Amino acid sequence: YEQFLGEVNVHVFEDWCGETVDQLRKDQLFPLFPHSRTTINRLAVYPKWENYGLRIFGYLHPGENGEYIFAISSDGNSEFWLSENESPEGLKLLAFIGKTGTEWTAPGEYEKFASQTTQPVHLERREQYYFEIIYKQSKGMDHMEVAWRLNSEDSSFEVITAAYLSLYIDDSSSMEMDTDTISQTLATQFLSPDPFLKPEVDMVNEDPRDVIYKIPLLNDSELQDVVPSCAYRPIYIFDNATIVRYEGINHVRYSTIYPNDHTRLSDEDMQGQLCFYKNDERGGFDSYLKIEGEPEGKTKVIEGEEPKKNPKWNQVFNVNPVDFNSKQNDFCVNTCKKAGNIIMQKKDAMIIVDAFMRHLQSKPNNDLVLKRVLNVEKKYNDTEGTRYLIELEMENREGKSVLMSKYLYSGAMKNGDPLVLCNAKGFAWNPEVTVHVILAVKNQGRWVKYFIKELENVYKVTGDKNFNIIIVDFNSHDINIEKELKIAKLPSYQFKKLDGRFAKAQGIQVGVDLVRDDNSILFMVDLHIHFPPVLIQNVRKHCVQGKMVFAPVVMRLDCGATLEAPKGFWETDGYGLVGIYKSDMDRIGGMNTAEFTDKWGGEDWELLDRIILNKLEVERLNIRNFAHFYHSKRGMWNKT
């Protein structure tokens, strides 16, 4: 006990934007994965830093019995929590500075806000009282102090010093990834948003596609003869025999989808929004306003005043409805990183759905009834025709929902040609195929633990047993990854340890070589990613052996942005996250480990070049809730 006296615990969370304490609680690493653990010997800090958060905790030991008044001061928002005894379970918020991030105080300024000071609290000299301080700093002068005084007229506030402090726990020797010693209390809990408030961003609203895995899948054999078969013809492949290095990114085409999945970042600032509209073929907005006549009415002139120079408030004009979402193209999606998926018009989607349903209803003994259209994806080529992925929720004769998820083709049509649907031979997705999620890492322990927890959640929510985690570790010293995998609740995993400096291409290829089943899918990923539960099934749907690979687009979140308030941009230039069958990966030669030996950056584009040269189609879509968290690059991929 005595060796704990004179200090309190400090956990530091780096490189996280935002000015409120609630913003710190939204950090994916808070409170379990601090970037550093240290101690202080008085409740005052002045590190001259920015974009960080602190959790300070330990015990108070009053010098005498009596009523105490506490006060907190900080530049940035902060909170002081105190328990009625030594137990963290009795914590109560007693004082705080601000909730919006605009509030601040000068050093030692304890009476600027009423919320800064507490009501009198009775403390006993021989007791110890657990406390916590949560502090969030953005930019500017950073400081935080907690002071106390006796509840008497002649007392004044003094910063609480070492004589009255002790540690909650000695965690100075703990491994960075040891979370067993980190308590979670009321002070650390994420404050959920009010369920009655409308979300700030449309994309966080529920979409049936997010939980489509909950609907039992209709066996493809039940749909075998609904439409006639036809030969597979790729919708878009690269025709040349050679390609300029890194030119493959210019030969990837996006599908259009229905209904709107709200992946367009429409809450962004005006400058960010203009790129979306500038890509419209007309350019600007004036051409959408149709002036229909001279201004109506007269301007009233008040005696003694000059008449107003603009009577045009009554200008007569008209506008027609414009569907900007469906007017976008691949160029817009790639260059305007706020645009999101290209949205198909309802009439275009329903033409295909209605045609399929007519085929289905013409079959004898059919008992399926259309309940709702969940998802339609379309890829078009004016010479080869159109491919669709159609996903319909159907109801069988027992009244139970089933999911129809199937690729269909229609040939190239001239004006007036009837729509003819067919089932392309050999082009179908396998709902049972194993997906191997491959990750190469070094000294990123806190994020590796987060990665494992994310995939644990996918397994817990979906019950999907047909995926396997492969982690290749370049001798990390901050975490025992194999131990973490053993205790995790995952369907299966593989682990390989390598020596030497981190080499991403080599690490991925080692993971690829661990897969023995040529008929399984490799999904190569990065750290710092949120995996929506539907993602693994999405990878299966968009990978077709010998024919198509999947390169889902991840949303790169801004510093301080969260899944609940996702601000950022779509990483349309990145191809580091890609799904491909093992047989196809072997056929194109795997990762380029000869050239990318001890560097990374560009290995994904080089791999894409060879995918395209080998006549594989590349499916590309922005995936809702598939997000890359902002993170510090400090100490990343230690080269030693």
Side-chain angles (χ1 to χ4, degrees):
Y1 169 77
E2 299 218 348
Q3 69 268 27
F4 286 8
L5 294 174
E7 295 179 311
V8 292
N9 300 92
V10 180
H11 287 181
V12 183
F13 299 86
E14 303 173 359
D15 297 304
W16 185 246
C17 297
E19 299 172 332
T20 70
V21 169
D22 281 347
Q23 193 71 22
L24 175 59
R25 292 189 180 101
K26 294 175 183 177
D27 185 349
Q28 300 298 315
L29 300 180
F30 183 85
L32 293 180
F33 305 112
H35 290 84
S36 59
R37 311 181 193 199
T38 185
T39 62
I40 53 175
N41 59 16
R42 62 173 51 209
L43 300 189
V45 295
Y46 176 42
K48 297 183 180 180
W49 211 11
E50 61 183 33
N51 290 335
Y52 68 91
L54 298 180
R55 182 191 184 193
I56 303 171
F57 56 102
Y59 293 108
L60 285 175
H61 304 266
E64 58 183 282
N65 299 340
E67 287 189 334
Y68 289 77
I69 297 174
F70 293 85
I72 190 166
S73 174
S74 62
D75 187 345
N77 287 181
S78 58
E79 295 177 351
F80 173 69
W81 295 69
L82 183 67
S83 176
E84 58 189 11
N85 52 39
E86 73 279 359
S87 172
E89 295 181 2
L91 273 180
K92 293 181 181 178
L93 176 61
L94 298 189
F96 64 91
I97 293 178
K99 294 291 185 182
T100 68
T102 60
E103 304 88 352
W104 57 274
T105 62
E109 185 180 19
Y110 297 124
E111 299 186 38
K112 183 177 182 180
F113 302 106
S115 64
Q116 280 182 264
T117 57
T118 71
Q119 295 298 312
V121 180
H122 184 80
L123 303 178
E124 294 287 334
R125 178 176 176 272
R126 296 185 180 277
E127 300 295 328
Q128 61 179 7
Y129 300 87
Y130 179 79
F131 76 92
E132 288 199 31
I133 301 164
I134 310 294
Y135 172 48
K136 181 68 184 74
Q137 166 63 12
S138 178
K139 296 186 178 180
M141 179 182 179
D142 59 331
H143 73 91
M144 189 287 304
E145 311 91 49
V146 172
W148 61 356
R149 67 176 176 85
L150 285 170
N151 185 21
S152 61
E153 292 185 2
D154 60 346
S155 67
S156 59
F157 282 117
E158 294 182 357
V159 170
I160 303 173
T161 57
Y164 309 104
L165 301 172
S166 68
L167 296 171
Y168 173 70
I169 189 171
D170 182 5
D171 62 357
S172 58
S173 61
S174 300
M175 285 187 65
E176 290 184 25
M177 297 308 105
D178 183 5
T179 61
D180 295 338
T181 61
I182 297 180
S183 62
Q184 299 188 63
T185 65
L186 282 175
T188 64
Q189 286 183 4
F190 173 70
L191 305 180
S192 298
D194 187 333
F196 296 103
L197 291 178
K198 185 177 180 181
E200 295 180 19
V201 182
D202 284 346
M203 190 165 55
V204 305
N205 287 315
E206 291 184 2
D207 184 291
R209 284 169 286 211
D210 298 340
V211 291
I212 198 170
Y213 56 84
K214 293 184 177 181
I215 307 173
L217 192 63
L218 192 65
N219 195 304
D220 198 51
S221 63
E222 299 181 53
L223 304 169
Q224 189 100 24
D225 301 320
V226 173
V227 296
S229 296
C230 56
Y232 162 73
R233 298 183 69 178
I235 295 302
Y236 187 87
I237 58 171
F238 185 67
D239 290 330
N240 296 346
T242 59
I243 193 169
V244 177
R245 170 62 67 93
Y246 299 153
E247 273 294 301
I249 61 171
N250 297 321
H251 298 281
V252 175
R253 300 292 179 264
Y254 287 74
S255 290
T256 60
I257 73 167
Y258 171 85
N260 194 337
D261 62 352
H262 298 287
T263 49
R264 174 183 159 200
L265 306 181
S266 55
D267 63 312
E268 299 290 340
D269 56 63
M270 177 59 73
Q271 193 61 36
Q273 281 287 291
L274 285 177
C275 68
F276 178 83
Y277 295 101
K278 284 179 179 177
N279 279 287
D280 178 70
E281 58 187 14
R282 301 194 197 187
F285 294 127
D286 289 347
S287 59
Y288 293 95
L289 298 173
K290 183 179 180 182
I291 306 300
E292 295 188 339
E294 292 300 320
E296 295 179 342
K298 297 181 179 179
T299 301
K300 183 178 180 180
V301 179
I302 301 176
E303 187 175 351
E305 293 185 5
E306 290 292 325
K308 298 185 183 299
K309 295 182 179 179
N310 196 354
K312 291 186 180 179
W313 293 112
N314 296 314
Q315 180 70 65
V316 180
F317 70 93
N318 199 1
V319 294
N320 294 320
V322 180
D323 183 359
F324 282 95
N325 284 297
S326 64
K327 295 168 71 66
Q328 305 312 306
N329 53 30
D330 293 304
F331 177 76
C332 174
V333 174
N334 271 317
T335 57
C336 179
K337 299 179 185 299
K338 313 284 187 176
N341 286 318
I342 307 168
I343 307 302
M344 198 187 322
Q345 290 188 326
K346 181 178 181 179
K347 62 179 182 179
D348 294 333
M350 292 311 298
I351 288 173
I352 306 304
V353 172
D354 291 342
F356 175 79
M357 289 305 298
R358 285 195 296 270
H359 280 282
L360 181 64
Q361 289 162 358
S362 68
K363 294 296 178 183
N365 302 319
N366 168 59
D367 63 350
L368 297 173
V369 177
L370 177 63
K371 193 171 180 180
R372 58 176 173 168
V373 178
L374 295 174
N375 184 48
V376 179
E377 299 172 11
K378 172 185 176 181
K379 200 144 198 175
Y380 169 76
N381 184 311
D382 56 3
T383 59
E384 301 299 332
T386 308
R387 180 180 68 238
Y388 300 91
L389 173 62
I390 300 182
E391 299 191 287
L392 309 175
E393 184 177 2
M394 318 284 277
E395 192 172 278
N396 60 22
R397 62 164 57 99
E398 288 83 25
K400 295 181 179 179
S401 288
V402 290
L403 174 65
M404 192 282 287
S405 179
K406 186 175 180 60
Y407 281 103
L408 296 171
Y409 278 70
S410 67
M413 296 183 296
K414 299 178 181 178
N415 290 336
D417 287 351
L419 176 68
V420 178
L421 291 180
C422 67
N423 181 26
K425 295 177 181 178
F427 198 96
W429 70 277
N430 181 356
E432 304 296 329
V433 64
T434 297
V435 177
H436 300 273
V437 183
I438 302 175
L439 176 70
V441 294
K442 182 180 180 71
N443 290 337
Q444 288 286 291
R446 57 182 59 86
W447 281 109
V448 171
K449 288 198 74 165
Y450 180 82
F451 171 83
I452 292 172
K453 286 184 179 296
E454 282 284 287
L455 290 166
E456 276 187 307
N457 185 63
V458 172
Y459 182 40
K460 176 183 176 181
V461 170
T462 66
D464 187 344
K465 296 182 179 180
N466 294 327
F467 72 91
N468 176 50
I469 312 303
I470 299 176
I471 298 183
V472 178
D473 175 41
F474 285 81
N475 201 18
S476 294
H477 58 67
D478 64 344
I479 185 175
N480 185 332
I481 296 178
E482 191 168 20
K483 174 185 173 183
E484 297 294 336
L485 286 168
K486 284 180 179 178
I487 63 176
K489 295 179 180 178
L490 296 167
S492 64
Y493 74 87
Q494 291 168 274
F495 175 73
K496 182 72 173 180
K497 196 166 190 174
L498 301 178
D499 293 322
R501 295 188 297 175
F502 177 77
K504 185 175 181 180
Q506 178 194 358
I508 292 174
Q509 186 58 48
V510 167
V512 168
D513 292 338
L514 290 176
V515 177
R516 302 302 181 191
D517 180 8
D518 287 345
N519 302 314
S520 60
I521 295 174
L522 312 172
F523 185 36
M524 295 162 282
V525 301
D526 289 331
L527 272 181
H528 320 110
I529 300 290
H530 168 66
F531 291 84
V534 75
L535 182 64
I536 299 295
Q537 191 74 318
N538 257 333
V539 172
R540 290 191 185 99
K541 288 177 184 177
H542 297 98
C543 288
V544 179
Q545 191 168 16
K547 298 178 175 64
M548 187 167 77
V549 306
F550 184 41
V553 185
V554 69
M555 182 181 177
R556 188 174 285 272
L557 297 175
D558 290 341
C559 182
T562 65
L563 296 172
E564 294 73 26
K567 291 181 179 292
F569 62 94
W570 292 104
E571 185 64 281
T572 55
D573 292 335
Y575 284 82
L577 301 121
V578 63
I580 181 172
Y581 268 85
K582 173 64 160 55
S583 57
D584 293 328
M585 185 66 166
D586 290 344
R587 177 164 64 90
I588 68 174
M591 299 299 297
N592 185 347
T593 56
E595 184 174 350
F596 296 90
T597 52
D598 58 354
K599 62 179 180 178
W600 57 95
E603 75 284 342
D604 55 339
W605 285 5
E606 192 276 337
L607 178 66
L608 178 66
D609 288 347
R610 286 183 285 118
I611 288 172
I612 288 174
L613 275 176
N614 280 273
K615 311 304 180 187
L616 289 164
E617 296 188 64
V618 179
E619 185 57 283
R620 188 80 159 149
L621 286 169
N622 301 280
I623 303 298
R624 282 170 52 90
N625 303 314
F626 186 34
H628 178 280
F629 293 106
Y630 180 89
H631 60 89
S632 168
K633 292 181 173 60
R634 190 178 292 115
M636 194 172 178
W637 308 135
N638 191 333
K639 292 184 178 181
T640 59

